[in-house]
Amino acid sequence: MTTLAIIGAGPGLGAAVARRFGQEGFSVALIARNRTRVDELAATLTAEGITAAGFTANVRDQDSLRTALEQASEQLGPIEVVQYSPLPAKEFMRPVLETVAADLVGPVEFSIYGPVTVAHQVIPGMRTLGGGTIVFINGASAVRPGARVTGTSIAFAGESAYAQLLHDALAPEGIHVGQLIIPRRIGGGEPSHEPTVLADTIWRIHTERGDFRTYAADLDN
């Protein structure tokens, strides 16, 4: 049995993706800062017949990320798929003229240092497996910068560039790196943005291994 690691796991998209992959025989590592949240979600999934366990990490703390992924692999099985989808902090989203250099430290740690740390932790195992998938989940500001969400716009651009470079470098090894852009609020009533629909999309990204970037829906004009 191989493992799906969800970084930023929660009761919405994370739970839906865990169920989708769990139904396909994956064990699921739920990684987030809140121990109670991941343990409760793991218990719910376990009661549904899915092998799951919770692990704690802060994506801005590289050591905690490495430790969580290492523990997940040891406890549940080698990591074949990673979903990087932590929710950015509100303080990352300041208007552009109010954003100073210090305001960018958090977003960069969150959206650039975190993904680089994760990639270097899981790629060796994926090479041993002979393949794998890393999926980065981002909002619209990753491709269309927003003046009122400066920190995430800048940091998501860096994350997107890194992910694209990974995609190009790892494709010959059978490791697929993809990005899913979710333009609007998850679970806000738009069918394409419902967690179960997005989970199916993420499953297709893993199985079909198509282009680097997938849009859940068209961007607003």
Side-chain angles (χ1 to χ4, degrees):
M1 181 181 291
T2 56
T3 299
L4 159 71
I6 302 175
I7 299 170
L13 179 61
V17 174
R19 290 187 173 97
R20 183 67 181 87
F21 279 76
Q23 291 165 4
E24 300 291 342
F26 280 80
S27 57
V28 181
L30 305 160
I31 301 173
R33 290 183 298 173
N34 188 309
R35 165 61 71 179
T36 300
R37 182 173 71 177
V38 292
D39 284 348
E40 289 178 350
L41 181 53
T44 298
L45 294 169
T46 300
E48 297 173 7
I50 296 170
T51 300
F55 305 88
T56 55
N58 182 338
V59 298
R60 295 178 62 183
D61 180 343
Q62 296 175 45
D63 287 339
S64 74
L65 261 182
R66 285 188 286 262
T67 297
L69 289 164
E70 182 177 354
Q71 291 175 342
S73 181
E74 291 174 351
Q75 183 173 331
L76 297 172
I79 295 172
E80 181 181 352
V81 182
V82 173
Q83 174 180 306
Y84 191 86
S85 54
L87 187 65
K90 290 182 179 179
E91 58 265 26
F92 296 172
M93 305 177 193
R94 300 182 188 278
V96 62
L97 296 180
E98 298 176 14
T99 299
V100 299
D103 294 326
L104 300 178
V105 173
V108 167
E109 290 176 341
F110 190 92
S111 296
I112 299 177
Y113 294 174
V116 173
T117 299
V118 169
H120 281 273
Q121 182 66 31
V122 301
I123 288 169
M126 291 179 179
R127 285 174 167 153
T128 298
L129 287 172
T133 302
I134 305 173
V135 183
F136 294 94
I137 310 296
N138 294 104
S141 60
V143 291
R144 184 179 289 173
R148 299 195 63 79
V149 289
T150 303
T152 54
S153 294
I154 293 170
F156 280 176
E159 180 179 337
S160 298
Y162 178 66
Q164 175 77 69
L165 293 170
L166 280 182
H167 171 272
D168 297 344
L170 293 172
E173 301 185 50
I175 298 173
H176 179 62
V177 179
Q179 181 186 49
L180 175 61
I181 301 296
I182 304 175
R184 292 170 288 280
R185 186 167 68 88
I186 297 172
E190 188 172 356
S192 62
H193 284 54
E194 289 304 306
T196 54
V197 175
L198 293 169
D200 284 336
T201 301
I202 292 165
W203 175 253
R204 289 196 300 274
I205 290 172
H206 168 58
T207 56
E208 296 178 3
R209 312 174 76 76
D211 295 336
F212 164 67
R213 180 171 290 139
T214 300
Y215 290 87
D218 292 339
L219 300 179
D220 291 327
N221 292 328

